[in-house]
Amino acid sequence: EAEVAQSPRYKITEKSQAVAFWCDPISGHATLYWYRQILGQGPELLVQFQDESVVDDSQLPKDRFSAERLKGVDSTLKIQPAELGDSAMYLCASSLVRDWGEQFFGPGTRLTVL
Amino acid sequence: DAKTTQPNSMESNEEEPVHLPCNHSTISGTDYIHWYRQLPSQGPEYVIHGLTSNVNNRMASLAIAEDRKSSTLILHRATLRDAAVYYCILIRGGSQGNLIFGKGTKLSVKP
């Protein structure tokens, strides 16, 4: 069964350092999402792509976060510089249909900022 | 976006049915009711969704009130593997499909 791949699974970094997360969606899924989940809370959307275009990044802290999906397939989320409050699980999801299609989530990247 | 209200936690015994409630009194006519669950240390996974009629799939059933102001996710025979946080989410038809997660209901299953 096709799955969303994410790497790394765990990342420990010091504040002010740069970190990057990678996501490979299910083949053929045009829509890709990045979510952030703080411990004890539900995930919250950071950015949504349709193919290579950003369709919603209203909740992305653009002063330090950036996301790209250059060829409309895999995607990278970057944080520079990392802050203590960025410690969270970063989840990638993809879907075949944009408006209300089932979203398939990857296992996430657990980020700890020291 | 319309909001949903769920109990913080519920307990169930293994092999018994579980009814997880969700209130969404401000739902609009084009809002779909989706349920996702998140097992420990995993990403969320889709469970079921519906608009007006009750829905069944291999994982669960979704019962939607006639006025659509509430719904219930039904697990017919809970297993230990069903212990998870269950999220009830409204998605407007024709929207960008963003999932707005609340805190969900943490389901514990006792052997």
Side-chain angles (χ1 to χ4, degrees):
Chain A
E1 185 174 307
E3 295 180 341
V4 175
Q6 289 189 249
S7 68
R9 293 292 308 277
Y10 304 92
K11 179 70 177 178
I12 300 174
T13 190
E14 294 184 346
K15 65 178 182 178
S16 79
Q17 296 298 304
V19 292
F21 314 129
W22 177 79
C23 171
D24 191 13
I26 293 173
S27 178
H29 282 195
T31 310
L32 184 147
Y33 308 81
W34 282 102
Y35 291 85
R36 176 173 61 185
Q37 184 172 26
I38 296 171
L39 195 63
Q41 299 182 19
E44 53 180 357
L45 180 73
L46 291 175
V47 61
Q48 178 187 358
F49 289 90
Q50 182 67 20
D51 299 309
E52 67 276 6
S53 301
V54 173
V55 295
D56 186 353
D57 63 355
S58 57
Q59 300 303 312
L60 188 70
K62 299 182 188 64
D63 56 335
R64 299 184 299 107
F65 286 65
S66 64
E68 60 183 18
R69 194 184 183 198
L70 294 176
K71 297 182 179 179
V73 181
D74 58 340
S75 176
T76 302
L77 178 69
K78 297 179 181 177
I79 308 174
Q80 182 173 17
E83 296 181 353
L84 296 178
D86 297 331
S87 295
M89 177 74 82
Y90 291 82
L91 294 159
C92 178
S94 69
S95 67
L96 188 61
V97 178
R98 190 178 93 169
D99 53 0
W100 50 267
E102 175 183 349
Q103 292 188 22
F104 295 83
F105 284 79
T109 296
R110 169 70 68 186
L111 173 66
T112 301
V113 182
L114 303 176
Chain B
D1 294 302
K3 292 186 177 180
T4 63
T5 303
Q6 299 177 253
N8 290 333
S9 62
M10 291 184 65
E11 277 192 353
S12 172
N13 294 317
E14 196 176 10
E15 298 189 0
E16 290 185 356
V18 182
H19 291 231
L20 296 163
C22 180
N23 288 320
H24 29 78
S25 58
T26 59
I27 191 170
S28 76
T30 59
D31 286 342
Y32 288 80
I33 303 161
H34 286 239
W35 284 80
Y36 280 74
R37 72 179 185 180
Q38 188 169 21
L39 303 173
S41 302
Q42 296 187 25
E45 64 175 347
Y46 167 85
V47 177
I48 199 167
H49 80 276
L51 183 62
T52 56
S53 303
N54 294 343
V55 184
N56 300 295
N57 66 19
R58 63 177 179 81
M59 290 181 70
S61 295
L62 177 59
I64 301 173
E66 195 168 338
D67 63 5
R68 300 211 323 129
K69 294 185 184 297
S70 65
S71 60
T72 302
L73 179 70
I74 303 167
L75 307 179
H76 295 287
R77 289 181 71 231
T79 68
L80 296 178
R81 195 193 174 277
D82 291 320
V85 178
Y86 286 79
Y87 298 98
C88 170
I89 302 167
L90 301 182
I91 300 178
R92 186 147 299 172
S95 71
Q96 293 177 13
N98 298 341
L99 298 176
I100 300 177
F101 291 84
K103 291 190 174 181
T105 296
K106 184 174 182 179
L107 175 67
S108 301
V109 180
K110 296 183 291 184

